[in-house]
Tab-separated table of all heavy atoms in Angstrom:
chain	number	residue	atom	x	y	z
C	1	LEU	N	1.716	6.391	27.077
C	1	LEU	CA	1.260	6.301	25.706
C	1	LEU	C	1.962	7.354	24.853
C	1	LEU	O	2.234	8.459	25.315
C	1	LEU	CB	-0.250	6.507	25.615
C	1	LEU	CG	-1.141	5.610	26.479
C	1	LEU	CD1	-2.606	5.911	26.190
C	1	LEU	CD2	-0.823	4.144	26.236
C	2	SER	N	2.240	7.005	23.604
C	2	SER	CA	2.836	7.926	22.653
C	2	SER	C	1.993	7.968	21.394
C	2	SER	O	1.379	6.974	21.005
C	2	SER	CB	4.268	7.501	22.293
C	2	SER	OG	5.102	7.484	23.425
C	3	CYS	N	1.972	9.123	20.744
C	3	CYS	CA	1.270	9.286	19.477
C	3	CYS	C	2.123	10.146	18.567
C	3	CYS	O	2.383	11.313	18.883
C	3	CYS	CB	-0.099	9.931	19.692
C	3	CYS	SG	-0.976	10.317	18.163
C	4	ALA	N	2.541	9.586	17.449
C	4	ALA	CA	3.375	10.288	16.488
C	4	ALA	C	2.578	10.608	15.234
C	4	ALA	O	1.941	9.727	14.657
C	4	ALA	CB	4.601	9.449	16.135
C	5	ALA	N	2.615	11.868	14.819
C	5	ALA	CA	1.939	12.312	13.610
C	5	ALA	C	2.944	12.463	12.480
C	5	ALA	O	4.052	12.967	12.681
C	5	ALA	CB	1.220	13.641	13.848
C	6	SER	N	2.553	12.047	11.286
C	6	SER	CA	3.420	12.174	10.129
C	6	SER	C	2.596	12.562	8.911
C	6	SER	O	1.398	12.295	8.849
C	6	SER	CB	4.183	10.877	9.860
C	6	SER	OG	3.295	9.812	9.571
C	7	GLY	N	3.255	13.188	7.938
C	7	GLY	CA	2.594	13.614	6.723
C	7	GLY	C	2.860	15.071	6.421
C	7	GLY	O	3.806	15.664	6.935
C	8	SER	N	2.013	15.650	5.582
C	8	SER	CA	2.172	17.044	5.161
C	8	SER	C	1.566	17.973	6.202
C	8	SER	O	0.459	18.487	6.040
C	8	SER	CB	1.529	17.258	3.791
C	8	SER	OG	2.132	16.438	2.806
C	9	ILE	N	2.312	18.183	7.276
C	9	ILE	CA	1.848	18.983	8.412
C	9	ILE	C	2.644	20.273	8.497
C	9	ILE	O	3.871	20.242	8.578
C	9	ILE	CB	1.979	18.205	9.729
C	9	ILE	CG1	1.203	16.893	9.657
C	9	ILE	CG2	1.484	19.064	10.892
C	9	ILE	CD1	1.467	15.977	10.829
C	10	PHE	N	1.945	21.399	8.509
C	10	PHE	CA	2.580	22.686	8.726
C	10	PHE	C	2.689	22.974	10.220
C	10	PHE	O	3.743	23.385	10.704
C	10	PHE	CB	1.814	23.800	8.015
C	10	PHE	CG	2.412	25.165	8.231
C	10	PHE	CD1	3.551	25.553	7.553
C	10	PHE	CD2	1.839	26.061	9.121
C	10	PHE	CE1	4.109	26.806	7.743
C	10	PHE	CE2	2.384	27.316	9.320
C	10	PHE	CZ	3.524	27.693	8.625
C	11	ARG	N	1.600	22.752	10.944
C	11	ARG	CA	1.574	23.000	12.375
C	11	ARG	C	0.396	22.261	13.014
C	11	ARG	O	-0.710	22.294	12.497
C	11	ARG	CB	1.455	24.496	12.669
C	11	ARG	CG	1.547	24.857	14.145
C	11	ARG	CD	1.363	26.342	14.338
C	11	ARG	NE	-0.004	26.755	14.027
C	11	ARG	CZ	-0.372	27.991	13.737
C	11	ARG	NH1	0.543	28.957	13.687
C	11	ARG	NH2	-1.645	28.274	13.482
C	12	ILE	N	0.664	21.604	14.123
C	12	ILE	CA	-0.390	20.985	14.914
C	12	ILE	C	-0.775	21.943	16.034
C	12	ILE	O	0.042	22.255	16.895
C	12	ILE	CB	0.057	19.637	15.502
C	12	ILE	CG1	0.393	18.657	14.376
C	12	ILE	CG2	-1.032	19.076	16.415
C	12	ILE	CD1	0.888	17.313	14.871
C	13	ASN	N	-2.020	22.423	16.013
C	13	ASN	CA	-2.472	23.392	16.998
C	13	ASN	C	-2.881	22.729	18.311
C	13	ASN	O	-2.575	23.238	19.393
C	13	ASN	CB	-3.638	24.207	16.453
C	13	ASN	CG	-3.230	25.105	15.303
C	13	ASN	OD1	-2.107	25.596	15.247
C	13	ASN	ND2	-4.148	25.324	14.367
C	14	PHE	N	-3.586	21.610	18.217
C	14	PHE	CA	-4.051	20.891	19.391
C	14	PHE	C	-3.770	19.409	19.210
C	14	PHE	O	-3.910	18.853	18.123
C	14	PHE	CB	-5.560	21.086	19.616
C	14	PHE	CG	-5.978	22.498	19.849
C	14	PHE	CD1	-6.338	23.310	18.792
C	14	PHE	CD2	-6.029	23.010	21.138
C	14	PHE	CE1	-6.736	24.620	19.001
C	14	PHE	CE2	-6.426	24.314	21.365
C	14	PHE	CZ	-6.780	25.126	20.294
C	15	MET	N	-3.413	18.750	20.295
C	15	MET	CA	-3.335	17.299	20.330
C	15	MET	C	-3.984	16.831	21.622
C	15	MET	O	-3.912	17.521	22.641
C	15	MET	CB	-1.902	16.787	20.243
C	15	MET	CG	-1.197	17.147	18.945
C	15	MET	SD	0.402	16.317	18.739
C	15	MET	CE	-0.142	14.676	18.229
C	16	GLY	N	-4.612	15.679	21.562
C	16	GLY	CA	-5.284	15.192	22.747
C	16	GLY	C	-5.457	13.691	22.763
C	16	GLY	O	-5.234	13.005	21.761
C	17	TRP	N	-5.845	13.209	23.933
C	17	TRP	CA	-6.145	11.801	24.141
C	17	TRP	C	-7.601	11.643	24.550
C	17	TRP	O	-8.100	12.387	25.406
C	17	TRP	CB	-5.248	11.180	25.214
C	17	TRP	CG	-3.827	11.029	24.794
C	17	TRP	CD1	-2.791	11.875	25.037
C	17	TRP	CD2	-3.288	9.933	24.045
C	17	TRP	NE1	-1.630	11.389	24.487
C	17	TRP	CE2	-1.902	10.199	23.871
C	17	TRP	CE3	-3.819	8.764	23.510
C	17	TRP	CZ2	-1.060	9.324	23.180
C	17	TRP	CZ3	-2.985	7.901	22.821
C	17	TRP	CH2	-1.626	8.192	22.668
C	18	TYR	N	-8.276	10.687	23.949
C	18	TYR	CA	-9.637	10.324	24.274
C	18	TYR	C	-9.683	8.831	24.565
C	18	TYR	O	-8.769	8.094	24.200
C	18	TYR	CB	-10.587	10.660	23.122
C	18	TYR	CG	-10.683	12.140	22.819
C	18	TYR	CD1	-9.643	12.808	22.177
C	18	TYR	CD2	-11.815	12.867	23.175
C	18	TYR	CE1	-9.723	14.162	21.902
C	18	TYR	CE2	-11.901	14.225	22.896
C	18	TYR	CZ	-10.857	14.862	22.262
C	18	TYR	OH	-10.947	16.206	21.992
C	19	ARG	N	-10.735	8.378	25.230
C	19	ARG	CA	-10.859	6.953	25.500
C	19	ARG	C	-12.311	6.517	25.381
C	19	ARG	O	-13.234	7.305	25.558
C	19	ARG	CB	-10.307	6.601	26.888
C	19	ARG	CG	-11.086	7.178	28.061
C	19	ARG	CD	-10.358	6.898	29.372
C	19	ARG	NE	-11.094	7.385	30.531
C	19	ARG	CZ	-10.633	7.366	31.766
C	19	ARG	NH1	-9.422	6.872	32.017
C	19	ARG	NH2	-11.374	7.829	32.772
C	20	GLN	N	-12.480	5.244	25.075
C	20	GLN	CA	-13.810	4.671	24.952
C	20	GLN	C	-13.819	3.279	25.563
C	20	GLN	O	-13.104	2.388	25.102
C	20	GLN	CB	-14.246	4.613	23.493
C	20	GLN	CG	-15.689	4.187	23.308
C	20	GLN	CD	-16.200	4.451	21.903
C	20	GLN	OE1	-15.414	4.610	20.971
C	20	GLN	NE2	-17.501	4.511	21.750
C	21	ALA	N	-14.615	3.107	26.610
C	21	ALA	CA	-14.775	1.823	27.268
C	21	ALA	C	-15.979	1.099	26.669
C	21	ALA	O	-16.875	1.734	26.102
C	21	ALA	CB	-14.961	2.015	28.769
C	22	PRO	N	-16.034	-0.230	26.793
C	22	PRO	CA	-17.177	-0.978	26.261
C	22	PRO	C	-18.501	-0.465	26.813
C	22	PRO	O	-18.653	-0.280	28.018
C	22	PRO	CB	-16.907	-2.408	26.727
C	22	PRO	CG	-15.420	-2.481	26.867
C	22	PRO	CD	-15.016	-1.123	27.378
C	23	GLY	N	-19.451	-0.206	25.925
C	23	GLY	CA	-20.758	0.266	26.327
C	23	GLY	C	-20.838	1.732	26.676
C	23	GLY	O	-21.899	2.202	27.097
C	24	LYS	N	-19.744	2.467	26.515
C	24	LYS	CA	-19.725	3.885	26.834
C	24	LYS	C	-19.305	4.708	25.619
C	24	LYS	O	-18.690	4.194	24.691
C	24	LYS	CB	-18.775	4.170	27.998
C	24	LYS	CG	-19.167	3.525	29.315
C	24	LYS	CD	-18.228	3.934	30.430
C	24	LYS	CE	-18.640	3.334	31.760
C	24	LYS	NZ	-17.719	3.740	32.856
C	25	GLN	N	-19.648	5.996	25.636
C	25	GLN	CA	-19.264	6.871	24.546
C	25	GLN	C	-17.835	7.364	24.742
C	25	GLN	O	-17.301	7.351	25.853
C	25	GLN	CB	-20.229	8.055	24.430
C	25	GLN	CG	-20.255	8.977	25.632
C	25	GLN	CD	-21.311	10.057	25.508
C	25	GLN	OE1	-22.413	9.799	25.030
C	25	GLN	NE2	-20.982	11.267	25.925
C	26	ARG	N	-17.227	7.794	23.644
C	26	ARG	CA	-15.871	8.308	23.713
C	26	ARG	C	-15.832	9.595	24.542
C	26	ARG	O	-16.701	10.461	24.408
C	26	ARG	CB	-15.339	8.564	22.303
C	26	ARG	CG	-13.866	8.909	22.250
C	26	ARG	CD	-13.361	8.975	20.810
C	26	ARG	NE	-13.531	7.707	20.114
C	26	ARG	CZ	-13.110	7.477	18.876
C	26	ARG	NH1	-12.473	8.424	18.202
C	26	ARG	NH2	-13.318	6.288	18.311
C	27	GLU	N	-14.815	9.720	25.382
C	27	GLU	CA	-14.700	10.874	26.257
C	27	GLU	C	-13.291	11.444	26.223
C	27	GLU	O	-12.313	10.734	25.974
C	27	GLU	CB	-15.072	10.506	27.696
C	27	GLU	CG	-14.138	9.495	28.336
C	27	GLU	CD	-14.498	9.160	29.771
C	27	GLU	OE1	-15.574	9.593	30.234
C	27	GLU	OE2	-13.706	8.463	30.445
C	28	LEU	N	-13.199	12.732	26.493
C	28	LEU	CA	-11.905	13.400	26.572
C	28	LEU	C	-11.140	12.925	27.791
C	28	LEU	O	-11.698	12.806	28.881
C	28	LEU	CB	-12.102	14.915	26.640
C	28	LEU	CG	-10.844	15.737	26.953
C	28	LEU	CD1	-9.897	15.741	25.762
C	28	LEU	CD2	-11.217	17.171	27.331
C	29	VAL	N	-9.848	12.664	27.613
C	29	VAL	CA	-8.945	12.378	28.721
C	29	VAL	C	-8.113	13.617	29.033
C	29	VAL	O	-8.084	14.101	30.160
C	29	VAL	CB	-8.029	11.186	28.407
C	29	VAL	CG1	-7.045	10.959	29.553
C	29	VAL	CG2	-8.850	9.934	28.150
C	30	ALA	N	-7.418	14.140	28.023
C	30	ALA	CA	-6.587	15.325	28.184
C	30	ALA	C	-6.242	15.881	26.817
C	30	ALA	O	-6.188	15.142	25.839
C	30	ALA	CB	-5.307	15.002	28.958
C	31	ASN	N	-6.002	17.190	26.736
C	31	ASN	CA	-5.493	17.774	25.507
C	31	ASN	C	-4.490	18.871	25.830
C	31	ASN	O	-4.376	19.317	26.975
C	31	ASN	CB	-6.619	18.276	24.587
C	31	ASN	CG	-7.553	19.275	25.247
C	31	ASN	OD1	-7.168	19.997	26.167
C	31	ASN	ND2	-8.791	19.324	24.760
C	32	ILE	N	-3.768	19.301	24.794
C	32	ILE	CA	-2.690	20.257	24.981
C	32	ILE	C	-2.570	21.130	23.744
C	32	ILE	O	-2.717	20.665	22.614
C	32	ILE	CB	-1.360	19.521	25.290
C	32	ILE	CG1	-0.254	20.510	25.661
C	32	ILE	CG2	-0.952	18.626	24.130
C	32	ILE	CD1	0.987	19.825	26.243
C	33	THR	N	-2.306	22.425	23.945
C	33	THR	CA	-2.139	23.363	22.845
C	33	THR	C	-0.679	23.434	22.424
C	33	THR	O	0.210	22.890	23.085
C	33	THR	CB	-2.620	24.762	23.234
C	33	THR	OG1	-1.703	25.328	24.191
C	33	THR	CG2	-4.013	24.728	23.840
C	34	ILE	N	-0.424	24.141	21.324
C	34	ILE	CA	0.941	24.287	20.842
C	34	ILE	C	1.807	25.028	21.855
C	34	ILE	O	3.020	24.812	21.923
C	34	ILE	CB	0.964	25.010	19.477
C	34	ILE	CG1	2.358	24.943	18.849
C	34	ILE	CG2	0.498	26.461	19.623
C	34	ILE	CD1	2.397	25.446	17.425
C-alpha cells in the first residue's frame, strides 16, 4: 500500500496505517515517526 500526501505541508511528524473490518472498530496497524 502507498499513501501520498500533498498540499501546504511544512513537515509530517507521524504517518500511519489503520484498518476497519465490517462490524469492528478502526484499529492501528502500524505507524512511523519522521
Side-chain angles (χ1 to χ4, degrees):
L1 306 183
S2 299
C3 174
S6 62
S8 299
I9 303 171
F10 179 77
R11 185 182 68 200
I12 298 178
N13 293 328
F14 299 90
M15 297 189 78
W17 290 96
Y18 296 74
R19 66 186 182 186
Q20 187 166 20
K24 296 184 178 180
Q25 63 185 40
R26 188 173 300 184
E27 64 179 8
L28 171 72
V29 177
N31 56 27
I32 187 168
T33 71
I34 190 171

